[in-house]
């Protein structure tokens, strides 16, 4: 029986064999590696992955799809909202997870931030996302795409856009272009208060067209910060390293 894509789950099933093969090659799965796939759907990517891995953990919210997936003995099916999954607990002792998936576009950013909380348990991540989101993730300072998402991921990951995917590669086709991003946690991550950095960056980009002295200046003044930091520029002009240094100085 054909599964009908459910709009409330943001379901767009990958159906292009050439694209699937390209994604698998980009991931490079090796037998025995601990890997988790988010949103396996109709198992288009799941099947070639598990053939190479031997076993695979999949996270699926859709009850009907989860039931289908349980018929495959090589799969460990976690039927859950991915935002409630403890990825650290899924990692085998002494090993880090590889995480992959065609993420639901309507909650992709919350998923990325949820995984950030478990980054120490993760080896790498390969995700299909809306191309616009990937552009923002990998954006350089002083570009239109550079913003809060860029800073909050780049301080912790090295990222690369590895594949463009058009709407025709999905069933049903989304109304946007897609891309696959590779995310590798930095080996030497800066030591800082991540919650403080998040608040700082959110304030800085809250009025992105104005100079930082307006919103961020008042925020720093309230914290009695008197150190060197150029507020006569816009948030999009500040490199990730400077946001990190400011968070460390506070």
């Amino acid at each position: 029986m054909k599964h009908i894509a459910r709009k409330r789950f943001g379901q767009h099933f990958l159906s292009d064999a050439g694209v699937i093969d390209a994604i698998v090659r980009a991931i490079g799965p090796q037998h025995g590696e601990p890997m988790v796939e988010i949103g396996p759907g109709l198992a288009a990517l799941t099947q070639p992955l598990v053939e190479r891995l031997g076993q695979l953990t999949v996270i699926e919210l859709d009850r009907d799809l989860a039931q289908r997936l349980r018929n495959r003995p090589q799969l460990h099916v976690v039927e859950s909202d991915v935002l409630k999954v403890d990825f650290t607990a899924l990692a085998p002792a002494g090993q880090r997870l590889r995480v992959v998936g065609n993420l639901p576009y309507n909650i992709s950013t919350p998923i990325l931030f949820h995984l950030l909380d478990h980054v120490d348990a993760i080896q790498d991540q390969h995700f299909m996302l809306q191309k616009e989101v990937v552009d923002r993730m990998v954006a350089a300072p002083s570009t239109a795409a550079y913003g809060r998402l860029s800073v909050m991921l780049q301080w912790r990951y090295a990222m690369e856009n590895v594949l463009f995917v058009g709407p025709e590669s999905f069933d049903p086709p989304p109304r946007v272009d897609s891309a696959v991003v590779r995310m590798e946690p930095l080996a030497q991550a800066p030591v800082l208060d991540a919650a403080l950095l998040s608040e700082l960056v959110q304030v800085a980009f809250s009025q992105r067209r104005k100079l930082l002295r307006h919103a961020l200046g008042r925020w720093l003044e309230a914290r009695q910060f008197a150190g060197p930091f150029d507020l006569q520029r816009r948030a999009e002009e500040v490199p990730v390293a400077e946001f990190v240094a400011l968070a460390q100085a506070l």
Side-chain angles (χ1 to χ4, degrees), residues 113 136 139-154 197-217 219 229 231 233-244 246:
F113 279 110
R136 288 163 50 206
S142 299
T143 62
Y146 185 73
R148 176 173 175 258
L149 186 64
S150 318
V151 177
M152 290 309 301
L153 294 179
Q154 289 179 30
L197 176 66
S198 179
E199 183 180 352
L200 185 166
V201 172
Q202 187 169 10
V203 171
F205 282 97
S206 64
Q207 300 179 38
R208 63 177 296 142
R209 294 188 180 278
K210 293 185 178 181
L211 296 178
L212 286 170
R213 62 183 172 83
H214 295 284
L216 187 61
W219 187 85
F229 188 80
L231 295 170
R233 52 185 171 165
R234 295 180 176 86
E236 65 189 34
E237 299 175 85
V238 182
V240 174
E242 288 194 38
F243 278 119
V244 167
L246 180 57

Side-chain angles (χ1 to χ4, degrees), residues 1 15 18 42-43 46 55 63 70 88 93 95 97 99 102 114 133 135 152 162 203 222 229 246:
M1 182 177 175
S15 57
L42 298 177
T46 309
Q55 59 183 0
R63 183 186 309 167
R70 287 193 183 94
T88 301
Q95 292 182 283
L97 294 174
V99 186
N102 174 17
H114 178 61
V133 173
D135 289 344
M152 290 309 301
V162 296
V203 171
F229 188 80
L246 180 57

Side-chain angles (χ1 to χ4, degrees), residues 1-7 9-17 19-20 39-45 62 65 68 102-103 105 128 165-176 178:
M1 182 177 175
K2 179 178 173 61
H3 180 84
I4 304 300
R6 291 175 174 163
K7 189 173 182 180
F9 290 153
Q11 291 176 340
H12 296 278
F13 300 118
L14 193 57
S15 57
D16 186 316
V19 170
I20 293 167
L42 298 177
L45 185 59
D62 188 310
L65 292 177
R68 289 190 186 194
N102 174 17
L103 301 190
Y105 292 179
M128 176 87 73
V165 184
E168 67 280 358
S169 297
F170 299 87
D171 181 24
R175 296 178 181 177
V176 295
S178 303

